[in-house]
Every structure is written in structure tokens, then in C-alpha cells.
Amino acid sequence: MSIGAIPACSGVVTAALSFVSPALAIAGFACIAVPIIIHLLTRQRRRPIEWAAMKFLLEAYRRHRRRLTIEQLVLLACRCLLVALVGVALARPVLDELATPKGPVHLYMLVDNSLASQLRDPGAASGTRSALDRSKEQGAALLAELDSSRGDRAAVISLAAPANAVILPLSPDLSAVSRVLADMPAEAGRADVAGAVSRLRADLSDTQNAATDGPPARVVIAILSDLRAGSIDLSQTLPVLGTGPSAPIVRVLPAATQEADNIAVTGIEPLRPMIVADAGQTSIANPTGNQVRVSLARFGPIVSKSSSTAVKLSLVDARSLAESGVRAAADADAAVVNWQPGQEAASAIVQVRANASGAEALALVASIDHDLLPADDVYVRPVEGRRSVRVALIESLKLGLAQGPTIDRFSPGDWVRLVLQPDASAGPLRSHSMGLVPTTLDPASVGRSGLSGFDAAIVLAPDELTDEGWKRLGDFSRSGGLLVITPPAEATVHLWGEPMARELGLDWTIAREVQQLGPPLGLSPQAPGGLANPLVGMIAAEMPDLSKPVTVSRRLALTAPTGSLEPVVTLADGSPLVACSSPASGQGLVVLMTAAIQLGWTDLPTKPLMLPLLHEIVRVGVGRSQPSFDQTAGHALRLPPGTVELVPADDRASSSPGMSAAGKSPARYAGVWRGVNSQSAVVSLVAINPDHAASDITPLPSAQSRTVLAQIAGADRIADINGASPENAETASLGLPDPRSREPVSVPLLAVALGLALAEIALARAFSHAGRMSTSSPGGAA
């Protein structure tokens, strides 16, 4: 079926019987009148001359006059019809022009420039030719059929999410449309067919409202996409543009049949979201703790086979990204994923070494060998990098420091300092290989100056904080700081819970009176969530042994609506000993311990669990407090607070169109940018990764995709674009009638005229009675 088979509007038959010019009408009637004139001339009366046998002839004529008249009329009609057929055959181009709808063509091209459109054609001869390149060639061939003098117009809508009206409303400048189509870049999101059709529907409505007198336009929608599994959601509902003969004509490329294998890097998850640099070294400290989970997915025929994939992982800074590109370094840490037949997703734990020298703007880069869809072979995740973690210890100075060597006189602050800074003689920045640097603050000073310069705060005396102090802590948390709050060891009534919940935006209720447990409760041997525990997942395997000797004799009851907190460590009765929750703003982290760090409440400070527990809470908590700005293309852009400018940090970002730091534009292109504040300092790296929902390049049967597209205008309005194929993109055709290709005459009509001429000769011979006259001659009578 071709687009030329557009149903004609009512009135076409009437138009086809009209005359384009009076001269042609006069000539046609004159030609038809020739046989009539000849017939009339042959009937002119002459003066009769009587002779002997005249009366016998007159008698015979009177007997056969009616039959002879009918024979003459039949011959006359045949001769007139013969002349008319010849005239119509010679005039067919004019009649075609009348029968063809003369309204302009409105061509809407929906071009797939999503992640799936970057699929390369297989074979060495194809080089780097992609599905998008073929779509552009097919679109150019369709534009070549339009005629601006007829009023034809064209529009271009890119399908990569969110669908973008590149040229809309329709433009009469077909050459400009062609240039824009040729320059259209590939994006990293999934195809948004529903969004494109919604934009198209709005423009159709505006165009119809602004329509003027004249033939109606023929609306043609060309969907230039392979429509693979990652290009269209088969479950989505598409807007309806019309039904019946007045609905737009929808033309699609023939269904893709070429299968290809694709493996994509779909995610990076550091087991500890923050990487700390040893202040005394030039590289990131603690290399054994930087474990990262890299997730992969595979698509295509390879899913049914066993195979292996090498994964490389590097920790780099912004300068390395700019100098070396986004791929992991050649000497990067690596792991091998061994796939089983039928396995579609897998992950690998990679021990990443430090390749950055104390930089804070860091990123993890995971990559695999390139395949036919190289855009999803790389994944980037920004991570928090610190030379050290500065921790504010907000404790009551009324208690003083330990007054002797006995641990029963240790204050909560003494226990915390001992855990965070076991070797104080090494100096504040060299005291611990983990880079945790505690500083003691008076609660009153928090209300005056806040917590500027700190990454975390451990509040050991919440009852001494003023309302202004709680407001300062709320601002600190919302700016990305970690708050760890414990009950004051010496208080008898705890009224600090209300201002804490109010200023931190927490829907928590903390009991005012201490609950004495008798006998003391032990800890649950399992960390809630296991490896997925929000803070102590890294030590979840050791928790059964570490938690066994710990008991709790006093606690504050904590109640909260379901889902408003996450348990980190629980008591044997299931109640939380440690819980965490993010503030309402969605940034920062609040951790609450329901028992004071003091031997009168729990023996935890003297047990082996104390050191890894507090270190994991601080290290992982600081990392979780700062959101990672790795985002998915096609979605709204999120920026670090304070960002006023986005500066490209890798080769992909440098070659992409600029993005606004206002955060209102969607993230369309994969790459890494530096978020810069008003002081030109780097706030954080911003990484945009491909939408891996579009990584599935499995060909869809034509029936499945057309079932979805039939929602637009009905199944009877959908057909393939003529001649379109991966091998012959330039032959794609809308199928519109081309006046240059019409035959000068109608061969079928000439054939009918020839047959009628032969019939006329035979009838003339039969009606002449020549044979009858010869048999009635005297010789015949003998």
C-alpha cells in the first residue's frame, strides 16, 4: 500500500466530469459531432426519378424501415463513442489532475534519536552507520517528494524523552527542515512516542482552527524508527488523532529484523558511599574498604548463551576525566562476570584502587568492551571524596573530662573520642587512618555560630541545646550534614524530643522518661536488611558475633509512623537501638540512638562492636547525607545546591549542546559536568547516564508495534513507507502521485477504443446487406 492511496474526498467524481478549459470542451464536442454531421449529410433528400421497378423497392423499404433506422442509430452511436474514447484517452493527464486531491501535504516526521537509535549496523562495510543515520536518510527522501509551491509543509519531532518539538508548527521552508533533520544529535533517553503524539495533536488542533478556504490538507505522519523493544512501550496508551477517512495517514518503517547482542552497564553502587583520604598521604586511604558493586544487563541472542564480560572500574577526579576521557583507565581494577544461559542481569564486586590525589570531586567510572551499542557501555557515578571527616562532638562541658584511669568515670564524649581518635598524640589530622577528626563543641556555641566546616555532628547533650541551636542543626542537616543524636546520660526528664522533631522535620515521638529494662536486653543478632542495611551493611556478616555480648539496661522509647524511619540495630524485642531517617527536605541524614553512650545505659562502649558500629555510622552516614548526582537521561535535571553553572568535564559533555544550570531543562545527553557555585568552586560532579530501558534492542514483530500505533488513527490508516529498508534508505517514498511520471495517454482507454473500432467495422459490414444482395442476384437465383 502507498500513501498515494489516500481516499478522495466527496465530489471527486463530479470534478472528474468537468472541463478544465472551454477550448478543450469545444474541441471535444466538435469531434463527437463529426459522425453526426456525416450521418445527417447522407440523409439529404434528392429529387426522385421513377423507373419501372421503383414501386417494388419502395414497398421493400416500407417493410424494413424501422430495422434500418435502428441499425443506422447503432452505427452512429458506436462512431460517436469511438471518437469520445480517443479524446478521453488523449486528455487523461487533465482528468488525473482533476481526480487527484489537490490539497497541500502536511508531513510530520517523528524521528527516533533515542539511545536505541545509536545501534550500529553490523558488518565491516557499515562502519559507524547507525539507525539514526538511516532514519535521517529516509526522512530526507520523504522531504524530496514535497512541493513548496503546492503549499506543502513539514515538521520534525524528536522522540528521545521527553519528546522535543524541533520544528513545530509546520514550516514551509523545506530546505531548512532538511538541514535541521541532518544535524539532529542522538540523545541518551528512551523514545517518548506518547509525548510526541501529544505534541502533534496540539499542533493539528491549532492548524485546523486556522485553516482557510481551499482543499483540505493531507496529513501524513512518518514514524522514522526501528521500533525495537527499547524504543516503544507496548503497554502505553497513545493519544487519538482521529478515526475514519478524515484521520491522518500513519507511515512507519518496516519492522526491524536484524538481531544484535548488547551488554549494558546499568549501575554503580559503592558499598560505602564516601571515600576518605588519609590526611598524611597523597592518595585515597584505606584501599581495602573501597568496594563497589557494578550491575550489568544483556539483551539479544546472547542471553541464551554462556559468556563472560570483563568490567573495569576506576576512581577518577574531574581533571582525569577531561584529560583521559570517560572510559576506565587501561590499568583500572577489573572483575569478570560469568553469565549463565538465560541470565539477563548480573553484578560484580570490584575492589577499586585510589587514582585521585585527595580531590573531593570524584567519580567512579565503570566500562566494558564496546559492542554495537557503545553508548551504554559506560556508567559514571559521582562519589564523595574527603581528605578527612570533621566531626563535631556537642557535649556538656559540665561533666568535664575523665578524672582517672577507670572507665566507669568516662563520659559519653570520652567514649566517642576514644573510638574516633584512639591515638591523639598523632595530631588532629593524623590521628586515625580512617580520617575521622573529632572536635568538641559547647551546646551553647552551636546556637551562636552553627556548624560551618563540619561534615557530621554527634549530639551527646541534646537537652542543653536552645531553640536557636536546634534551628542551626536543622540547617546543617538540610545542607547535607550528618546528625547523630543520643540521649543525655544524666537527664531524668527528656523534653528535647519535641524541638528536635520540629526543627528536623521528623515525625518521631520520643518518650520523656527513661525505661528501665530488667533484665537487660541483648541485641538482635541480625542487622535489619542484612547487606542492604542503610548504615551497617558492610559489617552485617559479623553482626551475630559482635552483637552477642552487648546488653542494654536503659533506653528511651521511640515511636514513628511506618516508613518514617529505618532500623539500623535492633534489640532482642525488635525495638530500635539505632534508627535513621532523612529530613523532610530529602537531603541530610539523622541517626538516633535510644540509649546513651554510657555504662549506666549499656555496656556497648566496652564491647568490640562499638568501634566498627560508630565508624560505619559516620562514614556511611556522611556519604548518604550527600546525594549522588548520577541521573538518568530523559528525566528532570537535579543539581547540587548552590550550583550556578555547569561546566563540561568529559569528552561526551563537551560535544553535547549546553545545559542550563537553572535545572528546568531535562537531562538529554550522557556525560559528566562540574557543578560550579558563584565563587567558581566545584560543588559536585553531575553525571548523566543513558536510560537503560532503551538498551533492549530486540526486534519487535510488526504486529505488536502496529497494535500500539493503531491507537493514533486506526489500523486501516497504517502502512509501511514505500521502499524503505536498511539497505536502501534513499528509496523511501511517501507514495504521493508524481505528475512527471504520468503517461501522456491512457493505454487502457486506447485499447477499448480499438476494440470498439473493430466492432463498428463488423456491424457496418453486417448492416450493409452486401452478402444478402449478392445471394439475391440473378446469377444466384439460377
Side-chain angles (χ1 to χ4, degrees):
M1 180 178 180
S2 71
I3 260 189
I6 299 176
C9 61
S10 60
V12 167
V13 175
T14 303
L17 297 178
S18 302
F19 295 103
V20 174
S21 65
L24 181 61
I26 293 173
F29 280 117
C31 292
I32 295 175
V34 169
I36 300 175
I37 295 173
I38 294 175
H39 175 74
L40 294 177
L41 291 175
T42 58
R43 289 177 57 85
Q44 285 186 344
R45 291 185 175 273
R46 295 177 176 83
R47 186 162 59 96
I49 300 175
E50 297 185 1
W51 47 293
M54 185 70 176
K55 62 179 180 180
F56 300 108
L57 292 175
L58 292 175
E59 182 64 25
Y61 173 74
R62 281 192 294 270
R63 290 199 306 268
H64 300 288
R65 181 172 55 186
R66 181 179 179 84
R67 180 173 59 81
L68 291 173
T69 301
I70 293 174
E71 290 175 351
Q72 291 172 356
L73 291 176
V74 170
L75 286 175
L76 178 62
C78 288
R79 289 162 184 163
C80 290
L81 182 59
L82 175 61
V83 174
L85 284 174
V86 173
V88 171
L90 295 175
R92 179 176 182 261
V94 176
L95 294 177
D96 273 354
E97 198 66 37
L98 288 170
T100 301
K102 299 189 67 176
V105 176
H106 288 177
L107 173 62
Y108 292 88
M109 292 186 291
L110 277 55
V111 185
D112 185 359
N113 64 331
S114 66
L115 174 67
S117 73
Q118 301 179 52
L119 177 66
R120 295 175 178 175
D121 293 341
S126 300
T128 58
R129 188 168 180 256
S130 66
L132 177 59
D133 295 330
R134 286 189 278 105
S135 294
K136 291 179 179 180
E137 294 170 4
Q138 289 154 349
L142 301 182
L143 285 172
E145 294 187 47
L146 302 185
D147 185 356
S148 57
S149 64
R150 185 175 54 192
D152 293 352
R153 298 169 179 260
V156 178
I157 302 176
S158 62
L159 291 182
N164 185 28
V166 181
I167 296 181
L168 201 71
L170 292 156
S171 171
D173 191 346
L174 301 181
S175 60
V177 174
S178 180
R179 290 193 299 271
V180 170
L181 177 65
D183 295 336
M184 181 181 293
E187 299 180 13
R190 188 175 190 179
D192 179 18
V193 179
V197 177
S198 295
R199 286 179 169 269
L200 194 157
R201 180 172 63 175
D203 187 73
L204 280 177
S205 177
D206 294 341
T207 303
Q208 291 171 357
N209 293 335
T212 58
D213 295 337
R218 293 167 285 170
V219 179
V220 182
I221 302 171
I223 301 179
L224 303 177
S225 171
D226 283 352
L227 292 179
R228 295 178 180 267
S231 301
I232 185 169
D233 183 0
L234 296 178
S235 63
Q236 69 183 165
T237 300
L238 301 182
V240 178
L241 300 182
T243 57
S246 61
I249 299 297
V250 181
R251 290 293 178 261
V252 298
L253 297 178
T257 58
Q258 181 65 49
E259 293 187 332
D261 296 331
N262 184 39
I263 300 177
V265 185
T266 58
I268 295 177
E269 186 64 34
L271 300 189
R272 287 191 178 97
M274 183 188 66
I275 296 174
V276 182
D278 182 7
Q281 303 294 332
T282 58
S283 61
I284 303 300
N286 191 30
T288 60
N290 298 329
Q291 291 184 329
V292 179
R293 180 182 291 107
V294 181
S295 300
L296 306 178
R298 61 177 185 168
F299 309 92
I302 196 174
V303 174
S304 62
K305 307 172 185 177
S306 60
S307 63
S308 61
T309 303
V311 182
K312 293 183 178 180
L313 184 68
S314 292
L315 177 65
V316 299
D317 56 23
R319 185 181 61 183
S320 299
L321 283 172
E323 293 176 352
S324 305
V326 72
R327 294 191 62 81
D331 60 346
D333 300 284
V336 176
V337 174
N338 294 310
W339 301 89
Q340 300 300 319
Q343 185 179 4
E344 297 180 349
S347 63
I349 301 295
V350 184
Q351 197 87 2
V352 64
R353 293 172 297 166
N355 293 326
S357 56
E360 294 190 359
L362 303 176
L364 288 166
V365 180
S367 63
I368 59 176
D369 291 337
H370 277 332
D371 48 30
L372 293 178
L373 186 59
D376 60 7
D377 295 339
V378 176
Y379 195 98
V380 181
R381 171 167 176 155
V383 293
E384 280 296 311
R386 311 247 189 222
R387 294 187 60 85
S388 63
V389 177
R390 298 186 62 89
V391 183
L393 295 185
I394 304 173
E395 65 171 329
S396 175
L397 299 184
K398 301 174 183 177
L399 298 178
L401 301 179
Q403 298 300 316
T406 58
I407 62 174
D408 59 335
R409 300 183 63 182
F410 274 28
S411 69
D414 296 330
W415 288 114
V416 173
R417 274 185 292 272
L418 182 64
V419 171
L420 298 184
Q421 194 178 21
D423 186 9
S425 63
L429 294 180
R430 289 178 174 268
S431 59
H432 198 269
S433 62
M434 304 302 289
L436 305 181
V437 182
T439 301
T440 302
L441 295 180
D442 179 19
S445 67
V446 175
R448 293 191 301 268
S449 58
L451 296 172
S452 177
F454 289 97
D455 303 303
I458 301 178
V459 183
L460 302 174
D463 56 331
E464 297 186 24
L465 286 169
T466 63
D467 288 344
E468 184 63 27
W470 281 115
K471 290 181 180 179
R472 296 277 189 164
L473 289 182
D475 294 339
F476 174 72
S477 176
R478 284 184 286 274
S479 66
L482 167 68
L483 286 179
V484 181
I485 303 172
T486 72
E490 304 299 328
T492 56
V493 179
H494 297 263
L495 303 178
W496 51 271
E498 289 85 351
M500 180 202 76
R502 181 180 64 251
E503 298 299 336
L504 300 184
L506 302 173
D507 193 10
W508 292 357
T509 301
I510 299 174
R512 294 185 175 187
E513 295 185 359
V514 178
Q515 181 182 6
Q516 189 75 37
L517 301 176
L521 283 176
L523 301 186
S524 172
Q526 303 297 330
L531 292 175
N533 187 284
L535 294 177
V536 297
M538 287 293 291
I539 61 173
E542 291 78 27
M543 279 297 291
D545 294 330
L546 292 173
S547 63
K548 189 178 298 183
V550 179
T551 60
V552 176
S553 56
R554 303 176 72 190
R555 69 176 178 186
L556 285 179
L558 170 64
T559 57
T562 303
S564 64
L565 60 78
E566 298 178 82
V568 177
V569 179
T570 57
L571 298 175
D573 63 355
S575 61
L577 174 64
V578 181
C580 71
S581 178
S582 296
S585 64
Q587 192 169 13
L589 191 71
V590 178
V591 179
L592 177 69
M593 296 185 67
T594 59
I597 304 176
Q598 202 251 8
L599 294 181
W601 290 64
T602 175
D603 57 4
L604 173 63
T606 63
K607 304 303 180 183
L609 175 61
M610 181 63 181
L611 189 145
L613 175 63
L614 193 55
H615 274 264
E616 290 299 301
I617 288 175
V618 173
R619 289 194 62 192
V620 178
V622 170
R624 282 195 58 190
S625 297
Q626 295 287 339
S628 175
F629 291 96
D630 59 322
Q631 305 175 59
T632 301
H635 298 272
L637 181 63
R638 295 182 298 108
L639 296 177
T643 300
V644 298
E645 183 182 4
L646 289 175
V647 180
D650 70 350
D651 51 345
R652 298 177 302 168
S654 299
S655 60
S656 301
M659 291 197 305
S660 169
K664 296 180 181 179
S665 60
R668 293 186 174 276
Y669 306 95
V672 183
W673 284 260
R674 295 191 300 272
V676 179
N677 62 18
S678 57
Q679 286 76 40
S680 299
V682 176
V683 179
S684 176
L685 292 180
V686 177
I688 299 175
N689 292 293
D691 186 349
H692 295 100
S695 294
D696 189 353
I697 55 175
T698 305
L700 287 178
S702 176
Q704 290 188 11
S705 58
R706 292 196 180 197
T707 299
V708 178
L709 297 177
Q711 302 174 67
I712 299 176
D716 60 331
R717 311 294 287 177
I718 300 178
D720 287 342
I721 294 176
N722 289 349
S725 67
E727 296 77 17
N728 298 298
E730 66 279 0
T731 65
S733 171
L734 288 172
L736 293 171
D738 185 358
R740 295 168 296 182
S741 64
R742 296 190 181 116
E743 297 176 354
V745 297
S746 173
V747 175
L749 286 178
L750 287 180
V752 173
L754 178 60
L756 185 60
L758 296 176
E760 191 276 338
I761 293 174
L763 290 174
R765 176 70 176 171
F767 294 165
S768 67
H769 309 286
R772 190 178 305 169
M773 291 175 60
S774 63
T775 56
S776 60
S777 63

